[in-house]
Amino acid sequence: IREHLVASFKQIGWDLAQNEPAGDLPTLKDLEKWLSGLVKTYFQAERQNHEVKKASEKATAAELQDFALACERIWWLDDQRCVPGKDYVLQPQRYKNSSWNKGDEAPLPLFKWVKDDVLQRDTFKHFISLLDNYIAETGQTEDYSAEEKVEMNAFLSACCKTRVMQYLGDYLKKKGKIRSDSESDLKIFLHELWFKLYRREAHNDSSGFEHVFVGEVKEKGGERLVIGMHNWLQIYVEEQRGHLNYMGYLRPKRRGTNSLRADISEEQMLSMQFTWKDAVKPVGTSFIGPSPEFELALYTLCFLFGTQENYLTIGPYQALIKCYHHQNRHLGTSYPEEPPMTKDEAATKIQSKERTRITRKQMGR
C-alpha cells in the first residue's frame, strides 16, 4: 500500500518518503482529479481484498450454471498472482497504433526485472522447466523424453496443490468431466487436454501447451510467423535468453487499472509486438502476472464450457477470451483479447476528442 501511495503522491509533486515538495505544484483541478482517482483505486483494492478472503475452492450452483462466474472466481483464488511494481517491473515504452507498424519502438526489454523468488515459486519453477522441451518450428514431430515426462508430472502435481486447481477439480467433478476431484484424476485429465501431442502440420508436431504457452513458428507466404505464445513468463524467459525482441505495445481501448496513472506499466493484460527466433508476432495479447495454474484453469474452462469467443470479467478487466478447438477434440489455441468498445464507450471517446479539438481551437493551437 505504501508503494502505491508514494507513486500516487508523486503525480501531484509531493515526495511522500521525504515529506517534501518534488516538482511543480498542482492546480486545484489537478488535485480534484487526483483525489477522485485515489479514492476509486483504494475502493477497488478494498473490494479485491474482500473478494480474495471470501473466495472458496467449492463451486457454487450459480457458477455451475454460468462458467463465466467460475472464470471470475479463479482470478480471486490465484494466491500466486504477481503484483506489478513489487514482483516485477514493466517497461512498455512507445505504443503502436496498428500491428501493421513493424518498426521497433522499444529499445529496452519489456521486463525491467522479475524477482528471483517469484521464479522459485513451486508452480512457476516447474512451469519454466517445461519451456525448453519443444521444437519451435511446426511440421517437426515432437517426442517426450523420460526426463520431460517427469517434469510434466511435477508441474501438474504442483498445480493441483493450489486453490485455483482445487476449485477446478471440484468444478469438473460436479460437471461430470472427471470421476473425482482427487489429484490423480485431475492430473490425468489435464495431461490429456494440454500435453497430448497431435497433428498441426505433421504427425505429433504440436500440443495445446506448446502452442498456447511456449509458442510455435510457421512459414506463411515466405515469412516466418510466431503463432501462439501468450504467456508472460515465457516472454520474460526468452527475453533473458536473448531470443525475443520486444517491439512495443498496442494502445488499449480501455484501462483495467486507474486511468490516471502516468503510464500503463501496471496493466496486467497487454497487447504487444515482438520477434522470436527470427520470426515475427505482429500482435499478441497476454496476461501479465497471473500464475501458470490460473491460465491453465481459465483456458480449460473456456475449452470445455465456452465458445470460440467468451466475453468475461477477469479481475478488473473486461476480456474476450478466444478459444479454438483443433480437429474438433484438441485445444488448438486460447488467449485473451481486449473486447471491442461498446457504443456508449465509443460515443464517449468521440465526444472527448471533439471537446479537446474545440478547446485547442479556442486557445489558438
Side-chain angles (χ1 to χ4, degrees):
I1 291 174
R2 179 171 178 78
E3 289 175 355
H4 282 291
L5 283 172
V6 169
S8 183
F9 271 86
K10 279 186 178 180
Q11 295 177 15
I12 57 167
W14 188 263
D15 188 334
L16 193 62
Q18 300 299 322
N19 199 28
E20 61 184 24
D24 298 332
L25 292 176
T27 64
L28 180 60
K29 186 176 181 180
D30 288 337
L31 280 173
E32 289 176 346
K33 188 177 180 181
W34 170 80
L35 184 59
S36 174
L38 188 65
V39 169
K40 180 181 177 183
T41 297
Y42 284 96
F43 268 119
Q44 288 175 343
E46 182 61 29
R47 176 180 176 271
Q48 289 180 11
N49 288 335
H50 176 68
E51 293 291 342
V52 169
K53 288 176 182 177
K54 77 175 185 180
S56 166
E57 295 88 5
K58 300 298 181 182
T60 66
E63 290 162 353
L64 292 169
Q65 288 293 319
D66 184 357
F67 94 100
L69 297 177
C71 294
E72 185 172 7
R73 170 64 63 90
I74 59 174
W75 173 272
W76 302 116
L77 286 170
D78 190 9
D79 300 323
Q80 298 199 95
R81 185 172 65 252
C82 295
V83 178
K86 177 185 175 184
D87 295 318
Y88 66 87
V89 168
L90 290 184
Q91 304 177 121
Q93 301 163 78
R94 295 187 62 182
Y95 69 86
K96 295 171 177 249
N97 284 320
S98 167
S99 60
W100 291 104
N101 176 1
K102 299 294 177 63
D104 191 344
E105 304 292 346
L108 302 175
L110 173 60
F111 288 91
K112 186 173 184 179
W113 51 260
V114 175
K115 276 189 175 178
D116 289 340
D117 64 344
V118 167
L119 306 178
Q120 292 306 310
R121 294 174 185 174
D122 211 21
T123 57
F124 285 63
K125 69 180 181 182
H126 287 301
F127 175 84
I128 292 171
S129 74
L130 302 176
L131 299 178
D132 61 356
N133 291 352
Y134 299 91
I135 303 167
E137 286 72 17
T138 58
Q140 297 194 41
T141 298
E142 304 277 5
D143 186 28
Y144 296 128
S145 68
E147 181 183 356
E148 289 167 349
K149 291 177 181 177
V150 170
E151 292 173 345
M152 286 186 287
N153 184 66
F155 170 63
L156 291 176
S157 293
C159 286
C160 287
K161 292 178 174 58
T162 65
R163 296 178 74 204
V164 169
M165 282 298 174
Q166 287 166 10
Y167 175 87
L168 181 66
D170 182 68
Y171 195 94
L172 297 183
K173 176 195 170 187
K174 289 175 177 175
K175 296 290 281 187
K177 295 297 182 180
I178 56 178
R179 290 182 300 173
S180 74
D181 58 359
S182 68
E183 179 178 317
S184 60
D185 280 357
L186 183 56
K187 280 172 59 178
I188 291 170
F189 182 88
L190 292 173
H191 186 279
E192 181 76 7
L193 176 61
W194 285 100
F195 292 100
K196 184 175 181 179
L197 296 170
Y198 58 74
R199 179 189 181 94
R200 193 174 293 272
E201 292 183 5
H203 176 70
N204 285 354
D205 69 331
S206 188
S207 69
F209 184 86
E210 179 186 8
H211 184 88
V212 173
F213 293 103
V214 183
E216 299 177 282
V217 174
K218 69 175 296 182
E219 297 276 349
K220 185 176 181 181
E223 184 179 18
R224 284 169 57 85
L225 295 174
V226 179
I227 57 174
M229 196 172 182
H230 298 283
N231 180 261
W232 72 278
L233 282 169
Q234 166 69 336
I235 291 170
Y236 169 73
V237 167
E238 290 300 279
E239 270 198 334
Q240 293 296 298
R241 291 172 175 167
H243 298 162
L244 186 145
N245 177 40
Y246 168 70
M247 300 169 67
Y249 70 95
L250 274 73
R251 175 182 277 182
K253 302 181 186 71
R254 59 178 67 78
R255 299 286 293 276
T257 58
N258 178 9
S259 61
L260 297 178
R261 294 189 191 280
D263 56 53
I264 70 161
S265 62
E266 297 203 8
E267 292 293 325
Q268 292 197 279
M269 189 171 75
L270 194 67
S271 296
M272 67 193 83
Q273 187 178 93
F274 57 83
T275 59
W276 178 56
K277 297 186 175 181
D278 299 320
V280 64
K281 182 76 172 179
V283 59
T285 305
S286 300
F287 288 110
I288 309 292
S291 67
E293 61 267 24
F294 165 79
E295 293 192 78
L296 204 68
L298 174 65
Y299 301 142
T300 296
L301 288 170
C302 289
F303 176 80
L304 294 173
F305 308 110
T307 62
Q308 287 188 354
E309 295 190 345
N310 306 281
Y311 291 86
L312 304 173
T313 299
I314 306 294
Y317 295 96
Q318 297 301 310
L320 169 59
I321 306 298
K322 292 196 171 182
C323 187
Y324 295 95
H325 292 218
H326 183 71
Q327 298 173 346
N328 296 320
R329 64 185 186 277
H330 301 299
L331 194 155
T333 189
S334 194
Y335 55 90
E337 274 191 1
E338 188 182 19
M341 296 181 75
T342 65
K343 290 182 179 179
D344 288 344
E345 288 174 329
T348 299
K349 189 170 184 178
I350 291 170
Q351 290 167 5
S352 176
K353 286 184 175 181
E354 181 63 15
R355 285 195 298 269
T356 301
R357 186 190 67 79
I358 292 172
T359 301
R360 288 180 173 176
K361 185 176 181 180
Q362 291 172 343
M363 295 174 64
R365 294 175 62 182

